[in-house]
Amino acid sequence: MSDDALFPLELVQQENHDAGPRQLGPGAVHVPGWLSLEQQRWIVERFGEWTQGPVPLRAASLPGGRRMSVRTVCLGWHWQPYRYSRTATDVNGQAVLDFPEWMVRLGKKAVAAAYSPELGVDESLVGLSDVYAPDAALVNYYDDGAAMGMHQDKDEHSNAPVVSLSIGETCIFRFGNTQTRTKPYTDLELRSGDLFVFGGPSRFTYHGIPKVLPGTAPDGCGLDRGRINITMRVTGLS
Ligand code: MD3
Ligand code: FE
């Protein structure tokens, strides 16, 4: 299927990236430039380690037989369409790497940064960082031409927020609605170092990545080409 079919050209809203942190929908907060270049480089080094195995970076196979263009390595729990497991039964049967302690702390800090009362976030979400304890991360790698169709993240048995961190090339992120895969939606750029937290009423919003903009990775982020996105999740599994 072509990207045109996946993403009809209806741009509803464009965001000013330099305006600072902003709530796009209830519980959906974008914090541009949250990670320093030094933090980005350090995470890219860890990414290099994660891809060494035991489970390699892989493009997941979808039920129709198509393969995703994005390649993923998981921490804590392995994800495949559409469930989590401790071992990568669709790759090589190996157990995935542990979810690192530093990433639990980073996830809490991310939720605290995004869910601040100054941004107009509902009070039910403020303070959530104290109890937020992600146990799975999907680490996506986008190379030239990779994209992700509109979908909901609903394989978790929890409605806790998802924390997203972007490193490398800028992408167009399409933030939709909870009812349909189609418009209305908001298109905005996610750039290297950006944080996005999706919780509360926005947790089950349809979203996707229509495209990555080649050659836009900033100097010093640790990646020359391509884009890494880390999403931390609470699986609700044990
Ligand atoms: C909105 N990843 O891994 S991150 C995914 O950039 C995924 O690789 C994209 O969608 C990426 O499932 C988008 C932004 C994102 C992540 C999770 C969400 C947006 C979300 C969950 C609910 C609503
Ligand atoms: Fe998603």
Side-chain angles (χ1 to χ4, degrees):
M1 199 194 293
S2 75
D3 285 0
D4 288 357
L6 277 172
F7 299 103
L9 291 172
E10 284 137 339
L11 191 147
V12 171
Q13 202 183 340
Q14 190 84 48
E15 162 176 70
N16 175 4
H17 196 273
D18 299 319
R22 177 173 112 140
Q23 183 170 223
L24 272 94
V29 177
H30 180 200
V31 186
W34 188 65
L35 292 172
S36 70
L37 286 172
E38 187 184 5
Q39 290 174 314
Q40 295 172 48
R41 283 196 300 275
W42 188 83
I43 291 172
V44 172
E45 280 177 31
R46 303 288 81 68
F47 175 73
E49 297 167 1
W50 300 332
T51 59
Q52 299 307 301
V55 184
L57 205 56
R58 71 83 168 83
S61 290
L62 299 169
R66 289 172 8 99
R67 218 150 29 113
M68 293 178 68
S69 57
V70 175
R71 287 178 294 160
T72 307
V73 63
C74 302
L75 306 173
W77 288 86
H78 179 77
W79 178 83
Q80 64 189 82
Y82 290 98
R83 65 190 175 89
Y84 286 95
S85 53
R86 288 294 193 183
T87 56
T89 54
D90 61 334
V91 186
N92 61 4
Q94 296 293 303
V96 295
L97 292 168
D98 287 340
F99 192 93
E101 266 316 310
W102 65 263
M103 200 179 280
V104 178
R105 293 195 299 270
L106 190 63
K108 284 182 192 292
K109 283 188 179 164
V111 170
Y115 288 169
S116 113
E118 296 94 87
L119 298 175
V121 172
D122 192 85
E123 61 179 36
S124 65
L125 299 173
V126 176
L128 225 147
S129 61
D130 294 335
V131 295
Y132 187 65
D135 65 342
L138 273 63
V139 185
N140 293 326
Y141 181 73
Y142 294 73
D143 56 16
D144 269 11
M148 190 180 285
M150 294 295 279
H151 66 279
Q152 291 171 300
D153 291 16
K154 55 181 183 188
D155 298 326
E156 300 77 23
H157 300 202
S158 160
N159 58 8
V162 175
V163 168
S164 156
L165 297 172
S166 295
I167 301 176
E169 292 174 342
T170 299
C171 73
I172 306 296
F173 172 60
R174 181 160 288 177
F175 181 62
N177 60 84
T178 55
Q179 300 303 312
T180 76
R181 307 176 70 238
T182 58
K183 61 177 183 173
Y185 38 62
T186 302
D187 282 358
L188 61 135
E189 291 187 354
L190 292 183
R191 298 184 189 172
S192 200
D194 285 9
L195 162 67
F196 219 131
V197 177
F198 303 88
S202 293
R203 174 61 179 80
F204 297 102
T205 304
Y206 281 93
H207 58 279
I209 305 287
K211 64 179 167 191
V212 175
L213 309 178
T216 55
D219 285 344
C221 76
L223 270 188
D224 287 334
R225 299 204 61 82
R227 170 175 185 264
I228 294 171
N229 180 268
I230 299 176
T231 52
M232 301 174 209
R233 296 123 190 276
V234 176
T235 63
L237 300 169
S238 54

